Structures are given as structure tokens and as C-alpha cells.
Amino acid sequence: MAAKPFVVGFTGPFGSGCSLAAKYLEHERQFTLVKLSTALNGIWRERNPGKEKAPKSDLQSLGDELRKNKGKQILAELAFQQVNLGSEGIVVDGIKNVGEVEWLRSEFGYRFTLVAVLTPPDVRWDRLGTEYNDRGLSVKDFAEDDRRDSKEDVAYGQQVALCIDQADILIDNSEINIPEFKQRVLNYVDLATGKKTRSAYPHEILMNMAYSSSHSSKCLKRHVGALVVDTGGRVVGVGYNENPLGTKPCMEEESYNFKCYRDIVRTETLNNYSSRGILCPTCGKPLQHVDGPPWICLNCAAIGKKTSLDDIFFPDRALNWCTAVHAEVWALFAAGERARGGELYTTTSPCFQCAEKIKHNGIATVWYTEAYPDPFSRSRLDLAGVNVKQFDGVRSSSFERIFAVTRPQ
């Protein structure tokens, strides 16, 4: 039986460059291009005859509907119905839900590679702002589309942030020109498909070590690992997020009902607001009692809007009530004075409180992979003069598969 084709999937926030990267593989490597949005656009046009361009919010809602009614993998299944699996390579553009990732991995196994293209919101707005303005929309509409696209709070919604968490390779497309971006995409895909080989770079090895430490965490929300490297390149501190020594993780704490304490605080606070008659800033109606996650305005939901009360009332995700000692702090504790002038590698960009401690302990550079939803921590690190770098390279999930081929036989 013939081997299945190599399949490369792209995920990332809209405007980050995923579609451009997919076209590079189509034209430069003769991959068959598959767009998960094709089925969405077709169904939308059937429902809206005479209209050509679907608003992003309409497509997001339609995607929610299809995944809810037919399974989270439905867009991937529909897209592959007409694909010739005899192709040497297939590139998939528009992966938004982890169900699509799971379906592709189950169908193609190790021959599937997920690549995340990352670009911050301000850069993407510079690229897309004119398109939004031409349709009478503003940066506020862009931000709402981005919120829904990245961190939808329902299993059948858009989950770009979770898809990025599962990526095998991360590509930073924030400050590079188009020729450099093209070459970077082709190099990584050639590496993933075995067309080229190389040894792991030092920053990939160190981030892989940070991910390894994250597996010791029992946090119900996010497993984070971190390590500190001194000015001589030596690892001097390793940590992962966990409740303080002598206390139980939330998942084992009976008094928390084995739930995340931050979730408990958010639910109690919002229900207190409801009891006091506080109004939803979006619809202007009194908040109803809601047990999260997710925490959404039920009045808004009744008219088709998805107002995240979490985003409005807890922009830092209630981190003040997080019971864990964060991975970065554990690593800094271990490193002590050896951290001064060194680098910190963390699987998730630091929160605001960790940003303060990173500066206080003299860290010069922070490397991270997953962007944390706290919008204030990055600006705090910038203000403090800490160099912040988005990790670009092979993640630990595929570290052995990609780099083991360089070993002598």
C-alpha cells in the first residue's frame, strides 16, 4: 500500500500569514492546497444568494453551528472529500479548532505537521485595517473578531490559541520581510518532511527542556515550564507552575471542590454582580447568574452575541487569585543571583506579576512560545527594558521525530 502523503497544516490568528505560507507550498513544493474555509463560504453563499463576501463574524458563527451539529472535525472532513490522497504533499489552510487537528493526526499520523504562524494584533491590524475600514468596521470590530477567533470559550468554536498550543513548529512573522518569511516557511516544511536535516538549535533545546519541566504541573488550566540560563549559557534554574510546597494542587483540594480556585472566584464575583443588579456593558441588561467557564452574558447570547464577561471584568484572567507559584518564579528561586543578566525560557509568556519579578531578578531576555492573554505584562517588560522574544522553531511535541533523523545509523 502506498504511503500516505505528507500533510502540513497552518494555524494562527487571521492576518498572520497562514494563507500566504500555504501558497508557498502550493507553488514552490507542488503541494495540493486545501482550505477549510471553502465549505464555509459555499454554505454561506447558499444561504445568502446574491452576496459575494461573507463577514468574518458570519463565517465564525457558521463554523460554530456546523461543529456543534456535526462534530468538531466536520470542516476537515468536508475539505478532504474531494482531495487526491495520491498527492505527494497536501497543505491545509485555516485550521481553527482542535477537533480538526485531532482528525488530521488520526488520519495521517506522523506524516501530519501542524505549523503555527504568529503575528501580534497591532501588526495584523496594520495589514487588515484598510479592509475593515472599507466595510465600515473599526479596530473594535477587529478586536472582537480576534477574540472569537483565538479563544472561543466553547468546544465547537474557534480555538486558535489551543491549536497553537498543539503546533509542532512555530514561525514568528512579526518583523521579517516577505522573502525571509517565504524561506523560513520552506525550510521548516522541508525539515518536517525529511527533505532536509539539521541539528537542533540551542534555543530549541532549551525550550524543549522548559516544556519537559511543564509536564510535572497539575494545574487544571495550563501546564507551564520555565528555565533560567546564566550569562555563560548554563542552566541554573528550572520550574513549573504548582501550588506552594505543603499545599495540595487545586485538582486535589476538597475545599475547592477539586476546581480551579480562579474559576471559583470569577463565578462568585460575577454572581455577586448579578445579585447587585449590575448591567452588562454590551446589552445594558442586568447580569444573570452563570456558572462558568465560560462566563458569558446570557442576555447577549439570546440575541446571538457572545459577550465574554471574563474579558470585561477579568482582563488578567483573575491571576491575582491564582494559588500556584508560577513556573518563572520557581526557576528564579532556583537560580538566585545567577539569574542576573541571563535569559529565561518559558512555555507561556509571563503574567504581569511574573514580569515584575523577572525584572527584579535581573533577567535580560525572555523567550516564550504561547502568548498569555494578559495584555499588560508585555508592555511592562518593554518598559522595564527586558528583551522579549517570540520562540521560532521546532517545539517539543515533535522534537524527537524531527531531529532524531540526524543521528548516524
Side-chain angles (χ1 to χ4, degrees):
M1 185 174 65
K4 290 186 177 182
F6 284 109
V7 178
V8 176
F10 283 100
T11 190
F14 62 89
S16 60
C18 289
S19 295
L20 186 59
K23 289 180 180 178
Y24 293 151
L25 297 193
E26 180 186 21
H27 298 300
E28 301 292 333
R29 294 295 183 267
Q30 288 70 56
F31 276 38
T32 298
L33 176 60
V34 175
K35 293 186 176 183
L36 299 193
S37 61
T38 300
L40 278 179
N41 279 292
I43 295 171
W44 185 88
R45 282 193 292 269
E46 289 177 3
R47 296 183 179 183
N48 298 271
K51 295 183 179 180
E52 291 295 325
K53 183 75 172 178
K56 185 171 290 293
S57 57
D58 280 13
L59 293 177
Q60 289 175 329
S61 296
L62 179 56
D64 285 6
E65 175 191 327
L66 292 174
R67 295 188 193 98
K68 182 177 182 180
N69 295 333
K70 299 185 178 182
K72 295 187 294 181
Q73 78 297 332
I74 184 60
L75 295 183
E77 287 183 341
L78 290 173
F80 271 79
Q81 284 180 355
Q82 306 299 323
V83 175
N84 177 15
L85 296 183
S87 304
E88 181 177 346
I90 298 171
V91 55
V92 184
D93 181 25
I95 295 173
K96 302 288 186 181
N97 186 281
V98 292
E100 296 152 6
V101 177
E102 292 166 357
W103 185 86
L104 288 164
R105 287 217 164 107
S106 69
E107 290 291 312
F108 298 99
Y110 74 92
R111 297 178 79 84
F112 171 68
T113 299
L114 182 63
V115 180
V117 182
L118 307 176
T119 309
D122 59 330
V123 177
R124 290 185 286 117
W125 172 250
D126 288 342
R127 297 172 182 172
L128 300 174
T130 300
E131 176 185 331
Y132 268 78
N133 291 334
D134 287 346
R135 290 188 283 131
L137 303 175
S138 68
V139 67
K140 183 178 179 181
D141 299 295
F142 167 84
E144 175 57 20
D145 286 346
D146 194 34
R147 186 200 68 78
R148 285 192 60 186
D149 190 61
S150 297
K151 49 191 169 97
E152 187 75 274
D153 291 326
V154 293
Y156 51 80
Q158 291 78 38
Q159 302 173 319
V160 168
L162 293 179
C163 291
I164 292 171
D165 289 352
Q166 295 196 18
D168 303 295
I169 294 170
L170 300 179
I171 299 178
D172 180 11
N173 187 27
S174 57
E175 298 179 350
I176 58 178
N177 56 40
I178 289 179
E180 185 179 354
F181 176 58
K182 176 181 179 179
Q183 194 56 55
R184 194 173 293 185
V185 169
L186 296 177
N187 286 343
Y188 277 126
V189 171
D190 288 346
L191 184 65
T193 58
K195 190 173 182 178
K196 292 181 180 178
T197 61
R198 67 167 171 84
S199 300
Y201 295 139
H203 75 282
E204 291 173 320
I205 296 171
L206 292 168
M207 190 59 78
N208 181 52
M209 293 172 65
Y211 268 103
S212 294
S213 68
S214 74
H215 299 320
S216 289
S217 172
K218 292 184 178 180
C219 178
L220 288 163
K221 293 297 184 183
R222 188 184 292 257
H223 296 175
V224 182
L227 61 86
V228 174
V229 180
D230 68 11
T231 54
R234 295 174 289 268
V235 176
V236 293
V238 179
Y240 56 91
N241 59 320
E242 193 55 85
N243 284 357
L245 295 176
T247 66
K248 296 178 181 178
C250 293
M251 66 182 298
E252 298 175 0
E253 181 54 69
E254 186 175 4
S255 64
Y256 296 166
N257 199 23
F258 313 109
K259 295 181 179 179
C260 170
Y261 187 67
R262 289 164 54 216
D263 285 358
I264 295 172
V265 169
R266 281 181 280 193
T267 296
E268 290 182 351
T269 300
L270 289 172
N271 286 336
N272 175 265
Y273 290 168
S274 172
S275 299
R276 292 161 54 190
I278 291 177
L279 307 180
C280 169
T282 301
C283 68
K285 295 182 179 180
L287 296 175
Q288 297 184 40
H289 279 246
V290 59
D291 290 326
W295 297 272
I296 61 174
C297 174
L298 298 180
N299 296 311
C300 288
I303 57 174
K305 291 183 176 292
K306 293 189 174 182
T307 299
S308 170
L309 300 177
D310 195 28
D311 284 351
I312 294 172
F313 293 102
F314 302 99
D316 70 340
R317 294 298 189 270
L319 279 175
N320 279 336
W321 293 279
C322 179
T323 58
V325 177
H326 288 190
E328 299 92 329
V329 175
W330 277 119
L332 290 169
F333 281 164
E337 283 298 315
R338 293 172 295 178
R340 196 156 300 278
E343 297 184 328
L344 184 141
Y345 288 76
T346 176
T347 60
T348 300
S349 59
C351 68
F352 191 90
Q353 289 83 4
C354 286
E356 296 286 78
K357 297 174 179 64
I358 286 168
K359 178 59 181 177
H360 183 74
N361 283 270
I363 290 292
T365 301
V366 172
W367 292 79
Y368 72 94
T369 58
E370 304 160 20
Y372 203 83
D374 180 352
F376 306 111
S377 58
R378 173 61 186 265
S379 60
R380 183 59 182 145
L381 289 170
D382 289 340
L383 181 64
V386 178
N387 186 21
V388 181
K389 293 185 177 182
Q390 167 71 61
F391 174 81
D392 183 302
V394 177
R395 274 191 49 187
S396 64
S397 57
S398 290
F399 203 79
E400 287 294 322
R401 172 173 67 85
I402 289 176
F403 291 123
V405 296
T406 63
R407 296 173 183 165
Q409 301 298 315

